[in-house]
Amino acid sequence: MAATAIERELWILGLGDRPERGEIVGRYLAVAGYGTRVAELNELANGRPLGVVLDLSPHSTDGWGILLAMKHDPATRDIPVLPVFLSEKGRVGGVFPVSGFFTLPVEGDYLAERLAVLGLTEDVEDYDLQALLISRKGEEKVSKAMEALGFEVVNAYTGKEGMALATTGRQYLIFCTLMLPDMSAFELIDRYRLYPQTRNIPFFVLVKDGMKQGERGAMSRQIEHLVRKKELSQEEFLSYLRRRA
């Protein structure tokens, strides 16, 4: 029974020695029927939560390091992660509904396995499906892996180009590197949510495995600029989640 209870919980990570910053998001999640608790990365070795709510703000305790560690470890890389921005007092400034993270360089077999588990390869043989790959460099390994699965890969090299292609094309899913020449993947997610034809396309973020400390800090500050100190209401926050019975 105890193991089942842990599996049904969402764990809040990235709060370090300030667990009180998770109180607001914990209350919001409780309304939606989720059990929650504040946890540390090392606790994942002894329990598997339903998912992780991860603070990636500048107020986080190495949120990006936690993400990279989770995705690098085969024991934890399949755990769903919902990135959020929590203010210094724990108010929810933003939610970034990523379908999943993959570290670069991508392992083709693992990518194929995860897409199959998510049910995103079932219709490849019956339909001509496109995958949009948004990256400054093109990420050849990702492209080859998707083509091997039967997808037609369409490349974009900036966020603006990715926006134009997704709103006028017929993309089935999207891969995007964390940082583009003109914006971050999280900013692009926000923009896609404004359009009915793009808001529900599965969106996967590609993260460099060797992300340096300076890059992590810069990315957290970029997210802070993106949320512009706004605060999501309980209803706004829960719109990103499925309510539990």
Side-chain angles (χ1 to χ4, degrees), residues 196-217:
Q197 67 268 42
T198 56
R199 64 179 298 132
N200 293 318
I201 300 176
F203 188 103
F204 296 91
V205 175
L206 307 171
V207 185
K208 186 169 64 174
D209 194 16
M211 197 174 176
K212 298 178 181 177
Q213 191 64 44
E215 293 174 311
R216 300 177 195 181

Side-chain angles (χ1 to χ4, degrees), residues 1-14:
M1 292 295 290
T4 302
I6 290 174
E7 288 172 0
R8 292 182 59 85
E9 285 184 329
L10 288 176
W11 291 7
I12 305 170
L13 268 64

Side-chain angles (χ1 to χ4, degrees), residues 3-155:
T4 302
I6 290 174
E7 288 172 0
R8 292 182 59 85
E9 285 184 329
L10 288 176
W11 291 7
I12 305 170
L13 268 64
L15 305 184
D17 59 359
R18 298 184 62 192
E20 68 277 4
R21 292 183 57 245
E23 290 178 2
I24 293 174
V25 71
R27 287 203 306 269
Y28 288 178
L29 289 167
V31 170
Y34 291 95
T36 63
R37 72 183 181 92
V38 173
E40 299 287 345
L41 175 64
N42 57 16
E43 295 180 70
L44 291 173
N46 299 315
R48 188 178 180 87
L50 185 66
V52 164
V53 177
L54 180 61
D55 180 23
L56 292 177
S57 75
H59 312 292
S60 167
T61 301
D62 195 22
W64 288 105
I66 292 171
L67 175 65
L68 290 171
M70 286 183 63
K71 296 306 170 183
H72 186 72
D73 186 346
T76 58
R77 64 184 179 180
D78 295 344
I79 299 174
V81 174
L82 179 65
V84 299
F85 179 103
L86 299 182
S87 73
E88 191 171 4
K89 295 184 178 180
R91 298 187 180 95
V92 184
V95 179
F96 307 97
V98 174
S99 300
F101 290 91
F102 292 100
T103 54
L104 294 171
V106 162
E107 298 174 28
D109 290 344
Y110 175 65
L111 185 147
E113 175 191 320
R114 290 310 302 159
L115 294 183
V117 167
L118 295 171
L120 295 174
T121 58
E122 295 175 356
D123 297 326
V124 174
E125 294 184 3
D126 300 321
Y127 302 97
D128 295 325
L129 300 180
Q130 287 187 350
L132 177 60
L133 175 56
I134 312 170
S135 168
R136 183 191 320 221
K137 298 180 180 179
E139 300 304 337
E140 186 177 358
K141 285 189 176 182
V142 178
S143 184
K144 286 184 175 180
M146 295 306 295
E147 288 171 349
L149 290 172
F151 287 90
E152 175 190 355
V153 177
V154 178
N155 282 283

Side-chain angles (χ1 to χ4, degrees), residues 233-244:
S233 67
Q234 177 176 287
E235 280 197 18
E236 289 171 325
F237 176 77
L238 294 182
S239 70
Y240 293 89
L241 301 163
R242 293 180 181 177
R243 289 179 179 268
R244 299 184 66 82

